[in-house]
Amino acid sequence: MGTRNQLWSIAKTSAIGSAVGLAISDRYVTIVSMRGDSMHPTLTASDSAFRGDVLLAERGCLDKYKFSRGDVVIFKCPSDHKEDFVKRLVALPGEWIQIPTSREIIKIPAGHCWVEGDNAARSWDSRSFGPIPLGLIKGRVTHIIWPPSKMGRLERKCPEGRVSPF
Amino acid sequence: MGTRNQLWSIAKTSAIGSAVGLAISDRYVTIVSMRGDSMHPTLTASDSAFRGSIVDAVSTDHYYQKAWTVGLFWNPCSMDFVLTRLLEPGDVLLAERGCLDKYKFSRGDVVIFKCPSDHKEDFVKRLVALPGEWIQIPTSREIIKIPAGHCWVEGDNAARSWDSRSFGPIPLGLIKGRVTHIIWPPSKMGRLERKCPEGRVSPF
């Protein structure tokens, strides 16, 4: 009788704990693991057991629209909604950006943004699929929390000379 | 001492309850309130007091009140006449989010998605075409292919709907949920039917 109550109490606590954890993860802050080389050397992936750098991402930016140029964001791939990408936000709505290969200048439409990986040679980003709607962004990476040698805040970094607000 | 413990216990229960409610609402099923006329007569909106805090559907024009009526519509998917309940302003809908993980979208579903040109606004429209299909744009009569990972959404009330005919196909990643039921008012409670437009979509 006592054991049964204990088990029930443990089950209840676990269910509540996971619900609270899910709510926090979906709305405030979450932890993601990096795969792919598109952000090398800022963020690295590897074949280790931890599958690369582990990042801390905050979701408060979604409600309050606190995106800034140079932020590293997580977003759903526009051509495959099941995959998530991690890239740097390069241009915001209304700004003009120069596409490196064709050297043409385009304007980012309202509600969209331009994302690019730091490792330009191995990054599939807005240079291929164009500006993405801001609605696809799921969070903003603020810190690297693993490995300990790279622990710390992720800096904002803007590419030079390619983006203009007018 | 006893009162303080009670207050603390109440506060703790409320916090846990809201966290559980949030988790369920974000991941499994949520309740939204309709605004805007783009889905009339299937879903109608107004400026009633029952505006939901989760969703504000598109409403670029003024609101107008309409008497509640029942309409007879031809449903090409099931090949018979369907008594479609018309939604009145302030109708509350039940939306499920399980479709996002398992990709359970079907042509004719009513979906909630973030507006591609303003990520703070949510739209409620019907899913008309899936990735890889060809759709005919009514005004220009040209036929385009829906790119991979995108879909075509249109409101039932074509005259008053700002949808894919204006902003093109939208990425499936913008979809936040699928409307399954109308849960208010009680006279219109029930499941929302799938409805496909005739002769405009082709899989090849």
Side-chain angles (χ1 to χ4, degrees):
Chain A
M1 194 68 153
T3 317
R4 201 169 162 197
N5 277 346
Q6 271 182 334
L7 284 177
W8 172 243
S9 166
I10 290 175
K12 209 168 66 166
T13 314
S14 315
I16 290 175
S18 40
V20 172
L22 274 184
I24 294 177
S25 169
D26 284 345
R27 286 182 168 250
Y28 301 110
V29 67
T30 188
I31 295 176
V32 299
S33 152
M34 184 72 190
R35 301 180 58 195
D37 297 322
S38 62
M39 287 295 289
H40 181 79
T42 313
L43 305 170
T44 320
S46 78
D47 299 325
S48 76
F50 265 112
R51 284 154 109 222
D53 294 350
V54 179
L55 320 167
L56 193 77
E58 63 107 3
R59 294 185 189 261
C61 60
L62 298 170
D63 296 325
K64 302 178 181 56
Y65 188 57
K66 279 199 279 193
F67 302 120
S68 302
R69 220 176 298 130
D71 280 340
V72 176
V73 293
I74 304 170
F75 59 95
K76 284 198 180 181
C77 172
S79 46
D80 184 0
H81 69 294
K82 288 182 229 155
E83 289 211 14
D84 290 338
F85 284 6
V86 178
K87 311 245 179 276
R88 204 175 286 272
L89 196 68
V90 166
L92 294 172
E95 294 176 351
W96 298 81
I97 187 164
Q98 180 185 47
I99 304 179
T101 43
S102 56
R103 297 191 67 82
E104 63 180 270
I105 300 184
I106 64 166
K107 183 171 184 181
I108 312 289
H112 287 65
C113 61
W114 190 271
V115 288
E116 279 187 15
D118 287 353
N119 190 6
R122 291 176 65 90
S123 171
W124 190 44
D125 49 33
S126 283
R127 293 168 302 158
S128 312
F129 48 69
I132 61 163
L134 285 167
L136 288 177
I137 293 182
K138 291 174 61 178
R140 190 169 64 106
V141 176
T142 49
H143 296 80
I144 303 173
I145 59 178
W146 189 268
S149 51
K150 292 173 74 175
M151 252 193 264
R153 210 174 164 80
L154 212 58
E155 284 97 22
R156 224 165 259 168
K157 205 169 78 177
C158 311
E160 308 177 39
R162 284 187 52 216
V163 180
S164 164
F166 38 69
Chain B
M1 196 69 154
T3 317
R4 200 168 164 202
N5 278 344
Q6 269 184 335
L7 284 178
W8 173 243
S9 166
I10 289 175
K12 209 168 66 166
T13 313
S14 315
I16 290 175
S18 41
V20 172
L22 275 184
I24 292 177
S25 169
D26 284 346
R27 286 182 166 251
Y28 301 110
V29 67
T30 186
I31 294 174
V32 301
S33 158
M34 183 73 191
R35 295 185 59 197
D37 298 318
S38 64
M39 288 294 288
H40 179 78
T42 311
L43 305 172
T44 320
S46 82
D47 43 352
S48 78
F50 211 17
R51 226 182 277 158
S53 58
I54 300 173
V55 169
D56 279 337
V58 65
S59 172
T60 53
D61 304 323
H62 65 279
Y63 300 116
Y64 56 89
Q65 301 283 341
K66 280 231 163 193
W68 182 83
T69 52
V70 169
L72 211 61
F73 294 96
W74 174 253
N75 184 346
C77 296
S78 58
M79 299 297 282
D80 59 7
F81 281 101
V82 176
L83 208 66
T84 303
R85 289 169 226 94
L86 304 181
L87 299 187
E88 278 197 310
D91 287 350
V92 179
L93 321 168
L94 193 76
E96 62 108 3
R97 295 185 190 259
C99 61
L100 299 170
D101 296 324
K102 301 178 184 55
Y103 189 56
K104 278 199 278 187
F105 302 119
S106 301
R107 220 176 298 132
D109 279 339
V110 176
V111 293
I112 304 170
F113 59 95
K114 285 197 177 181
C115 172
S117 46
D118 183 359
H119 69 293
K120 287 181 231 158
E121 288 210 16
D122 289 336
F123 285 6
V124 177
K125 308 240 180 281
R126 205 175 283 273
L127 197 67
V128 166
L130 295 171
E133 293 175 351
W134 298 82
I135 186 164
Q136 179 184 47
I137 303 178
T139 43
S140 56
R141 296 191 67 83
E142 63 179 272
I143 301 183
I144 64 166
K145 183 170 183 183
I146 313 291
H150 288 64
C151 61
W152 189 270
V153 288
E154 278 187 18
D156 285 355
N157 191 8
R160 294 175 65 90
S161 169
W162 189 44
D163 48 34
S164 283
R165 294 169 301 158
S166 312
F167 47 69
I170 60 162
L172 285 167
L174 288 177
I175 293 181
K176 290 174 61 177
R178 189 168 66 104
V179 177
T180 49
H181 294 80
I182 304 167
I183 60 177
W184 188 269
S187 50
K188 299 208 220 123
M189 261 194 258
R191 214 176 161 78
L192 212 60
E193 289 98 16
R194 223 166 261 171
K195 206 168 79 177
C196 316
E198 310 178 35
R200 284 186 52 214
V201 180
S202 165
F204 37 70

